[in-house]
Amino acid sequence: MRTLRLAAVTALCLAATACSKDGGSSGEAPASAPASAPAPTDADKAAALAALPAPYNTGDLSNGQSKFALCRSCHTITEGGPDLTGPNLYGVFGRKAGSKEGYAYSDAVKAAGFTWDAAHLDKWLSSPREFLPGTKMTFAGLHDPKDRIDLIAYLKVETGYKPAP
Ligand code: HEC
């Protein structure tokens, strides 16, 4: 009788553990593990978004993507993508401003001296010419703060940003 009950409890526990594991990451991990493989899935992007520091983890990636339409004529964001009027933006987070090899920046950006992070990008995107007078990025600015959050979240997810360890 006692052993039976124990067995039943054990079985329940096992089932519960299995369930919580399936609901967590163990079901996903093996599928997304070959990180070097191309084309992250929507689930990978959702996970990358959730891992961003606040408030960017609340970003709306589809709005960010549609705001990126404002940048697309001058910037590519894919790894190894070409420079257009503006430099390729893959890996821009953590990169020193004006430092992408092979791109001819203005003196203003070359002399900026900071490293791109969300805070700098937020100011830059709200008005590039007010933030760095003399820049040759002719973009009027994105005035809605929530649009900037969404666009920065989108850029983080798409350009290979890795949170600091
Ligand atoms: C009309 C073309 C144009 C548009 C539109 C544009 N940019 Fe730019 N962008 C540039 C140019 C040109 C530069 C180089 C600026 C300089 O050297 O002064 C630049 C530079 C940048 C940089 C600095 C990169 C570095 O390596 O330091 C970032 C970040 C950036 N742009 C993001 C954006 C985003 C995000 C958008 C959309 C909201 C956008 N840009 C829209 C032309 C553009």
Side-chain angles (χ1 to χ4, degrees), residues 67-68 70-71 73-75 85-87 89 92 95-100 103-106 109 116 121 124-125 134-139 142 151 155:
K67 295 305 165 217
F68 185 71
L70 300 168
C71 326
S73 58
C74 297
H75 292 286
T85 305
L89 294 178
V92 71
R95 184 163 90 197
K96 206 166 164 263
S99 71
K100 180 171 180 296
Y103 181 81
Y105 292 91
S106 66
V109 169
W116 286 114
L121 214 66
W124 171 251
L125 293 180
T135 178
K136 61 175 184 172
M137 173 157 140
T138 49
F139 174 69
L142 197 56
L151 176 55
L155 288 173

